[in-house]
Amino acid sequence: MKILVAIKRVIDANVRVRVRSDGAGVEMANVKMAMNPFCEIAVEEAVRLQEAGKAREIVAVSVGAGNCQDILRTALAIGADRAILVETDLETQPLGVAKTLRALAEREKPDLFMLGKQAVDDDNNQTGQMLAALLGWPQGTFASKVEPVDGRVNVMREIDGGLETVSLKLPAVITTDLRLNEPRYVKLPNIMKAKKKRLDIVKPVDLGVDLAPRLKIVKVAEPSKRKAGIKVESAQALVDKLRNEAKVI
Ligand code: AMP
C-alpha cells in the first residue's frame, strides 16, 4: 500500500496566539511554527502501518511557502520515505489545497490519502472531505483506529453517540482524530537521516491548479474576557445558582 500524508505548517500548538491590532489576522511575526498536531498523528499512523508491513511507501506532502520544508523534514524524520512541497506564497485555503492534493493523487496514485481532521489555525475541518469528493473516493473521517484488510481499510470513527466502524474500499481518504495514536519522539539520528531523504519542490502551475484565495477574512477578534468567578458557601447554594440564575440545570 502506498500512502500520501498531507501536512500543514501552523503556529505551534503551545504558543499563545495573539490577534493583530488591526484585526486582520493573528500575529505571525517571530512566532514558533510546527506541524499541525492532527497531521503529525497522520504521519505517525502511516509509519506504524509501514512498520507493521502494511504500507510500502509513505510520501509526505505540504502546500505552502518554502519554509514548509521544515515540517516535511520532521515527517521524514518520523519515518516518511520522501516528501513533496507544492510551493506558493499565497494563503492556502481548503478548496485550493484539496484540488492540489487531488492533482498529487492523480500523479502519485496512492492507495490511501491521510490528512488531519482539522488544521488548528483556522479549524476548517474541510480539506479531507473536499479531497474525497473531488477524487470520488470513500472517506473515513475522525479516525480513532485504522486497520487495512484485503483491499479495504476499516476505520473506527468517533461520533456523537460513541464509536462507528466503516469499511472503505481502497483507494480512500482518512482524516485522523486525537485518540488514533501518540506520535513518537523523534530521535537525533533520524533527524540526521531525514536530511538526506528526497524532497521535491513543485509549483501549483506544474499541477495545473489555481490557489488564488476565494475566502476573505472579514475580521479576527479576541474571545470576550471571562468574568471573575465567585465562591458559594455550600453545594446547595451552587445548585440554586445553577438552576435559578444561570438556568443551566
Ligand atoms: P482544514 O480542512 O484546513 O482544517 O485541514 C485539514 C487537514 O487538511 C490538515 O490536517 C492537513 O492534513 C490538510 N491540509 C490543510 N491545509 C494544508 C496545506 N496547506 N498543506 C497540506 N495539507 C493541508
Side-chain angles (χ1 to χ4, degrees):
M1 195 163 67
K2 175 170 175 179
I3 307 179
L4 252 58
V5 189
I7 62 174
K8 186 175 187 191
R9 190 174 192 264
V10 297
I11 293 182
D12 187 296
N14 300 309
V15 169
R16 196 178 173 296
V17 174
R18 289 177 196 285
V19 172
R20 264 167 44 186
S21 51
D22 60 5
V26 297
E27 199 53 74
M28 300 292 286
N30 302 321
V31 174
K32 184 167 182 263
M33 304 294 284
M35 191 189 313
N36 177 48
F38 293 106
C39 302
E40 207 178 334
I41 292 172
V43 177
E44 173 68 33
E45 193 63 18
V47 174
R48 288 188 191 191
L49 288 171
Q50 194 181 46
E51 287 167 348
K54 295 185 176 158
R56 94 187 124 78
E57 191 186 19
I58 302 166
V59 186
V61 303
S62 192
V63 186
N67 49 18
C68 291
Q69 288 183 55
D70 59 4
I71 57 158
L72 288 168
R73 289 282 169 212
T74 305
L76 294 169
I78 297 172
D81 298 295
R82 61 186 172 90
I84 303 172
L85 169 63
V86 182
E87 194 176 23
T88 174
D89 285 329
L90 293 170
E91 174 208 339
T92 61
Q93 297 184 344
L95 185 58
V97 173
K99 287 181 177 170
T100 310
L101 300 181
R102 171 182 59 180
L104 286 172
E106 282 162 358
R107 199 184 253 211
E108 293 283 335
K109 309 217 176 326
D111 303 285
L112 203 55
F113 216 131
M114 299 189 72
L115 301 89
K117 74 165 177 183
Q118 72 194 56
V120 298
D121 52 359
D122 42 25
D123 279 349
N124 279 315
N125 182 347
Q126 294 174 355
T127 312
Q129 293 88 330
M130 286 177 170
L131 174 63
L134 289 171
L135 286 167
W137 291 4
Q139 58 179 310
T141 51
F142 309 101
S144 57
K145 194 168 176 192
V146 172
E147 262 178 346
V149 264
D150 305 330
R152 303 184 77 88
V153 60
N154 292 337
V155 177
M156 193 190 275
R157 336 182 31 240
E158 301 197 8
I159 55 169
D160 275 353
L163 294 168
E164 166 188 82
T165 301
V166 290
S167 168
L168 315 176
K169 190 169 180 295
L170 296 175
V173 173
I174 291 180
T175 72
T176 59
D177 213 332
L178 204 59
R179 271 168 285 273
L180 180 59
N181 62 50
E182 209 172 297
R184 70 196 61 192
Y185 179 76
V186 182
K187 298 201 184 95
L188 188 61
N190 292 342
I191 297 175
M192 302 312 287
K193 262 191 239 158
K195 292 190 181 177
K196 297 205 182 99
K197 290 188 182 174
R198 182 169 148 205
L199 191 163
D200 297 323
I201 300 181
V202 297
K203 297 278 178 198
V205 347
D206 302 333
L207 299 170
V209 288
D210 173 13
L211 284 171
R214 289 155 182 254
L215 304 170
K216 191 171 157 234
I217 294 176
V218 180
K219 190 174 166 223
V220 178
E222 295 266 1
S224 49
K225 293 259 179 304
R226 204 167 156 244
K227 289 202 200 105
I230 55 158
K231 273 194 179 167
V232 289
E233 277 169 13
S234 64
Q236 187 51 48
L238 174 65
V239 170
D240 184 59
K241 283 197 178 294
L242 291 174
R243 183 166 295 146
N244 300 316
E245 279 182 30
K247 297 194 176 13
V248 292
I249 57 172

